[in-house]
Amino acid sequence: MAVTIYYEQDVDPKIIQERKIAVIGYGSQGHAHALNLMDSGCDVRVGLREGSSSWAAAEEAGLKVCTMDEAAEEADLIMILVPDELQAQVYKDHIEAHLKAGDTLAFAHGFNIHYGYIVPPEDVNVIMCAPKGPGHIVRRQFTEGSGVPDLACVAQDATGDAWDVVLSYCWGVGGARSGIIKATFKEETEEDLFGEQAVLCGGLVEMIKAGFETLTEAGYPPELAYFEVYHEMKMIVDLMYESGIHFMNYSISNTAEYGEYYAGPKVINEESRKAMREILARIQNGEFAREFMADCENGHKWLLEQRASINEHEIEKTGEKIRGMFSWIKRGDE
């Protein structure tokens, strides 16, 4: 099924430039949206909690900063970019009372709208601009003159021009430079969660850990195991990203390619695909969302236990030592 893709020539920048925009939150996505919109000539203010540690950083970047209530009251387009588990409470406490007929409520991920944790009034637009990349990449590519592709979605078109608004917003954050893909809140939410869980984060991390453990348990030095299953992963993915699987196969040896066809289906097999279908079903029926929100209400107990476990894994200790030898690598926390 073909998708619809829009580019700069399909968008009216004046629509977003004439709006008063509130970006609620100044984390990874928040800082990228706010700064890119400001550089695109938009009227932006960042809404934060009083005493937020991000307040000074946003002001130093040249942005207008105010409380979330003040930002929501001033704006006619409110982009909520706090973590998913906080959005419903932030909406209830700081945004809902300030919504006026004809306003636009915006998101970068559909979790709270799709699963019903936020139910906006019928007289406001509900849109989504979801850049397909982390916030720091969204900002970096914008400053370099390119942009990260965006998904554009409309859940509620109260004014009749919500699609024009979301396309213009995507232009403001740089998405029109590389393509704005039309989607729905359901598609974005469910596909995004599945990709994170089954492939990008859950699947990839577990596969790397399993490969590392298999080699080290067999007596191979952890440093060599790290290079084989962790370090080289980026190089292989870069080749695929740049020109496709066929180009990656062209670039590697015949030995490696033969091994790919032989061993790949043994690692990712029908049992793996069954697990993926189960993961997708839990996302579609809301079971994952309910479980995640319950853990959030329990102080992130399970999440924090898993985070502590991976941080103590031998592969992370080995990786930290090896990456310290690479002067060309900039640490993600610097």
Side-chain angles (χ1 to χ4, degrees):
M1 185 176 178
V3 296
T4 302
I5 304 178
Y6 303 93
Y7 297 95
E8 289 183 298
Q9 66 269 22
D10 304 311
V11 179
D12 182 359
K14 291 182 181 178
I15 295 174
I16 199 63
Q17 289 173 332
E18 293 172 352
R19 292 293 197 278
K20 293 182 178 179
I21 305 167
V23 173
I24 307 299
Y26 197 69
S28 178
Q29 286 290 334
H31 96 284
H33 283 241
L35 292 173
N36 290 4
L37 288 164
M38 180 178 68
D39 289 348
S40 294
C42 298
D43 181 2
V44 186
R45 72 271 298 127
V46 174
L48 298 173
R49 297 184 187 278
E50 292 186 32
S52 168
S53 59
S54 299
W55 196 294
E59 284 187 331
E60 289 172 6
L63 290 157
K64 175 182 179 180
V65 187
C66 50
T67 66
M68 290 188 281
D69 286 271
E70 291 169 339
E73 180 62 30
E74 289 181 8
D76 49 44
L77 189 153
I78 304 166
M79 169 59 83
I80 303 179
L81 291 174
V82 297
D84 290 330
E85 65 268 26
L86 303 180
Q87 288 188 11
Q89 196 64 49
V90 166
Y91 172 80
K92 179 181 178 181
D93 293 346
H94 304 287
I95 295 173
E96 187 174 26
H98 302 288
L99 287 173
K100 301 171 285 294
D103 281 355
T104 297
L105 191 63
F107 300 84
H109 179 44
F111 186 96
N112 279 275
I113 293 295
H114 180 59
Y115 293 118
Y117 292 104
I118 294 176
V119 182
E122 295 181 357
D123 58 1
V124 303
N125 296 327
V126 181
I127 67 171
M128 188 198 317
C129 167
K132 300 311 293 177
H136 292 88
I137 303 300
V138 174
R139 178 58 181 163
R140 182 194 306 166
Q141 292 201 359
F142 182 93
T143 60
E144 293 173 351
S146 61
V148 170
D150 294 345
L151 295 190
C153 314
V154 173
Q156 196 164 280
D157 187 358
T159 61
D161 65 349
W163 276 109
D164 294 331
V165 173
V166 70
L167 292 176
S168 191
Y169 184 99
C170 291
W171 170 87
V173 298
R177 298 174 178 180
S178 52
I180 305 167
I181 305 168
K182 186 176 183 179
T184 68
F185 269 67
K186 173 182 169 62
E187 290 169 341
E188 186 280 334
T189 304
E190 294 178 355
E191 290 184 351
D192 187 72
L193 292 174
F194 176 81
E196 293 168 348
Q197 294 175 28
V199 182
L200 305 176
C201 304
L204 179 61
V205 169
E206 283 304 307
M207 185 168 65
I208 291 173
K209 284 167 55 185
F212 180 86
E213 290 165 1
T214 300
L215 287 172
T216 55
E217 288 169 5
Y220 295 95
E223 293 81 4
L224 297 185
Y226 175 89
F227 273 106
E228 292 302 332
V229 303
Y230 199 138
H231 176 80
E232 291 191 40
M233 178 72 71
K234 177 183 175 348
M235 301 173 190
I236 293 296
V237 171
D238 282 349
L239 291 171
M240 295 166 62
Y241 173 81
E242 290 167 9
S243 299
I245 295 173
H246 71 282
F247 181 74
M248 181 273 291
N249 284 333
Y250 168 77
S251 299
I252 63 179
S253 68
N254 288 336
T255 314
E257 185 180 2
Y258 185 97
E260 169 192 335
Y261 303 140
Y262 157 75
K266 293 184 178 297
V267 177
I268 305 300
N269 49 35
E270 183 52 36
E271 186 175 351
S272 307
R273 288 176 170 81
K274 180 182 177 182
M276 288 185 176
R277 290 191 288 270
E278 291 173 355
I279 290 166
L280 180 58
R282 292 182 74 246
I283 291 168
Q284 292 172 326
N285 65 24
E287 185 178 347
F288 166 75
R290 292 188 294 271
E291 183 181 293
F292 170 69
M293 293 300 283
D295 188 56
C296 294
E297 294 170 3
N298 193 34
H300 298 288
K301 183 176 184 297
W302 190 85
L303 173 65
L304 294 175
E305 289 174 351
Q306 306 312 306
R307 182 181 297 168
S309 177
I310 187 61
N311 289 347
E312 290 301 314
H313 194 284
E314 186 182 6
I315 197 171
E316 285 296 87
K317 296 177 180 179
T318 302
E320 184 176 9
K321 179 171 63 175
I322 291 177
R323 289 190 296 272
M325 299 160 50
F326 299 160
S327 60
W328 65 90
I329 292 181
K330 182 179 179 180
R331 290 168 54 97
D333 55 0
E334 290 180 348

